[in-house]
């Protein structure tokens, strides 16, 4: 482990360090307006905490009431926010307007700058993505952190494309492709893939990302399930049938469960059966999340129960990952 010292006491090592934005989702529907803590990286950290994974978060939270709400929300899942992550300004927001089908359109009020003089302990897995990897000036610091960490831990990346905050499609794709070689696992949604590579099949996009240097690609395809790919294996995971309350945080819940699985099996020599287990685990986590309002991912107990029920209904042996895999070998 590498420690970057400064005047703060160094935090204890964690299984996962998440780096990226925290914000408040202001959700507007025909029934009114509600607020939920959010931000893709913060949601992933929260999802990992709910799954019993020892998780820290390097982020930027305002010194206002919303910042306190976000930090308390993360603390309830056991997520440790690194010192220096709070700043005097206001907490970023994303106003989500829900359609009748439950999908969301977003308007953002956000600035992104990594806190300075914060100690970083390199964990087993470093996860980043979303706005934090595209929006200046913080994106430059994120890239530098990946360069520093890439030989010491596994790095997972979810670009979680937000076109309204990016430059041109060509500029965003260049930034994405510049980061992929620094990572091991890349997760894309079908919307991400279609926006970054219009006119290309999802299979072609996965192959391209692997050629850029990733060891594994997971691509969520909405009602069509998901695609899992390495250089030696590729498979589709069918979607889990469920009633959709809204889709907020579904991709982040999927990402958290994916990391949960990777902590157990790693990326070296992933076999077809391992990809299947990880894929089903992530898909079930997302299905649980969309069945309730806001970014509310499952606990380890809920996910294990869902995996057992899913295996039973399919007439196969359970592929549930053990609870608390963050502490595993």
């Amino acid at each position: 482990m590498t420690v970057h010292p400064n005047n703060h006491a160094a935090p204890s090592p964690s299984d996962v360090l998440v780096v990226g934005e925290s914000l408040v989702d202001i959700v507007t529907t025909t029934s009114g307006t509600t607020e939920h803590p959010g931000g893709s990286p913060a949601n992933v950290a929260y999802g990992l905490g709910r799954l019993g994974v020892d998780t820290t978060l390097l982020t930027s939270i305002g010194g206002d009431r919303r910042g306190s709400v976000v930090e308390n929300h993360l603390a309830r899942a056991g997520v440790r926010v690194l010192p220096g992550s709070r700043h005097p300004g206001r907490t970023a927001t994303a106003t989500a307007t829900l359609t009748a089908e439950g999908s969301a359109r977003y308007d953002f009020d956000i600035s992104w700058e990594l806190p300075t003089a914060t100690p970083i302990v390199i964990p087993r897995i470093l996860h980043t993505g979303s706005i934090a990897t595209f929006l200046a000036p913080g994106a430059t610091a994120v890239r530098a952190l990946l360069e520093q960490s890439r030989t010491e831990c596994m790095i997972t990346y979810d670009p979680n494309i937000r076109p309204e905050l990016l430059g041109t499609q060509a500029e965003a794709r260049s930034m994405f492709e510049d980061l992929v070689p620094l990572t091991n696992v890349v997760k894309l949604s079908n919307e991400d893939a279609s926006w970054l590579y219009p006119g290309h099949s999802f299979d072609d996009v996965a192959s391209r990302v692997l050629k850029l240097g990733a060891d594994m690609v997971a691509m969520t395809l909405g009602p069509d399930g998901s695609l899992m790919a390495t250089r030696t294996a590729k498979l589709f995971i069918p979607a889990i049938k469920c009633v959709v309350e809204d889709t907020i945080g579904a991709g982040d819940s999927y990402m958290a469960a994916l990391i949960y699985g990777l902590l157990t099996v790693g990326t070296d020599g992933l076999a077809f059966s391992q990809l299947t287990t990880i894929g089903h685990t992530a898909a079930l986590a997302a299905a649980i999340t969309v069945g309730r309002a806001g970014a509310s991912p499952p606990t380890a107990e809920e996910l294990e129960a869902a995996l057992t029920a899913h295996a039973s209904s399919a007439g196969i042996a359970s592929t549930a990952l053990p609870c608390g895999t963050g502490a595993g070998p």
Side-chain angles (χ1 to χ4, degrees), residues 4-94:
H4 303 262
N6 60 25
N7 294 329
H8 295 292
S12 60
S14 61
D15 284 321
V16 181
L17 168 64
V18 179
V19 180
E21 72 274 6
S22 300
L23 50 80
V24 169
D25 285 315
I26 304 171
V27 183
T28 301
T29 68
T30 55
S31 302
T33 299
T34 58
E35 295 191 4
H36 307 277
S40 177
N43 286 344
V44 172
Y46 181 78
L48 285 164
R50 294 265 289 175
L51 290 172
V53 176
D54 186 13
T55 306
T56 54
L57 175 66
L58 176 62
T59 189
S60 180
I61 304 174
D64 53 5
R65 177 190 61 81
R66 284 173 171 157
S68 297
V69 169
V70 171
E71 191 162 17
N72 291 337
H73 168 74
L74 292 164
R76 284 193 291 272
V79 177
R80 303 192 304 278
V81 176
L82 287 183
S85 290
R86 292 203 73 162
H87 60 82
R90 68 178 184 271
T91 299
T93 61

Side-chain angles (χ1 to χ4, degrees), residues 147-163:
E147 289 177 330
Q148 185 177 17
S149 307
R150 62 189 297 250
T151 61
E152 301 188 56
C153 69
M154 182 189 298
I155 295 176
T156 61
Y157 176 36
D158 176 6
N160 195 30
I161 296 295
R162 300 300 186 188

Side-chain angles (χ1 to χ4, degrees), residues 20-329:
E21 72 274 6
S22 300
L23 50 80
V24 169
D25 285 315
I26 304 171
V27 183
T28 301
T29 68
T30 55
S31 302
T33 299
T34 58
E35 295 191 4
H36 307 277
S40 177
N43 286 344
V44 172
Y46 181 78
L48 285 164
R50 294 265 289 175
L51 290 172
V53 176
D54 186 13
T55 306
T56 54
L57 175 66
L58 176 62
T59 189
S60 180
I61 304 174
D64 53 5
R65 177 190 61 81
R66 284 173 171 157
S68 297
V69 169
V70 171
E71 191 162 17
N72 291 337
H73 168 74
L74 292 164
R76 284 193 291 272
V79 177
R80 303 192 304 278
V81 176
L82 287 183
S85 290
R86 292 203 73 162
H87 60 82
R90 68 178 184 271
T91 299
T93 61
T95 301
T97 302
L98 296 184
T99 67
E101 293 78 25
S103 60
R105 297 190 306 273
Y106 290 90
D107 292 307
F108 292 90
D109 177 11
I110 184 172
S111 60
W112 168 243
E113 184 171 357
L114 272 179
T116 57
T118 301
I120 304 298
V121 179
I122 302 302
R124 293 175 62 196
I125 294 180
L126 188 158
H127 172 74
T128 192
S130 194
I131 298 166
T133 58
F134 292 98
L135 189 62
T140 301
V142 171
R143 191 187 195 286
L145 180 57
L146 298 190
E147 289 177 330
Q148 185 177 17
S149 307
R150 62 189 297 250
T151 61
E152 301 188 56
C153 69
M154 182 189 298
I155 295 176
T156 61
Y157 176 36
D158 176 6
N160 195 30
I161 296 295
R162 300 300 186 188
E164 56 270 45
L165 292 176
L166 305 180
T168 67
Q169 184 269 352
E171 290 170 337
R173 184 172 64 192
S174 177
M175 294 177 72
F176 168 73
E177 293 188 342
D178 186 51
L179 283 186
V180 168
L182 303 178
T183 70
N184 302 101
V185 177
V186 176
K187 180 258 180 191
L188 293 161
S189 69
N190 52 348
E191 292 91 349
D192 295 335
S194 296
W195 193 85
L196 287 168
Y197 301 102
H200 290 259
S201 71
F202 298 136
D203 190 71
D204 287 344
V205 172
S207 296
R208 178 164 181 158
V209 174
L210 290 170
K211 287 178 182 178
L212 286 169
D215 299 313
M216 174 180 161
V217 177
M219 190 178 302
T220 57
L221 307 174
D224 294 325
S226 57
L227 168 67
M228 310 286 290
T230 67
R231 294 184 185 88
T232 58
K234 187 176 295 181
L235 72 151
F236 285 91
I237 303 293
I240 306 299
K241 293 182 179 180
C242 60
V243 176
V244 176
E245 177 70 21
D246 66 51
T247 61
I248 295 173
D252 301 324
S253 181
Y254 182 100
M255 186 73 241
L258 186 69
I259 294 171
Y260 178 71
L262 289 169
L263 283 166
T264 300
V265 302
T267 57
D268 292 336
L270 275 175
F272 188 89
S273 60
Q274 293 170 312
L275 287 177
T276 301
T277 297
I278 294 173
H280 280 301
T281 300
L284 278 165
I288 293 170
T289 303
V290 301
R292 46 205 191 191
S296 181
T299 63
E301 292 76 18
E302 287 176 321
L303 184 56
E304 184 178 18
L307 283 162
T308 300
H310 177 71
S312 177
S313 65
I316 58 176
S318 174
T319 57
L321 296 172
C323 292
T325 53

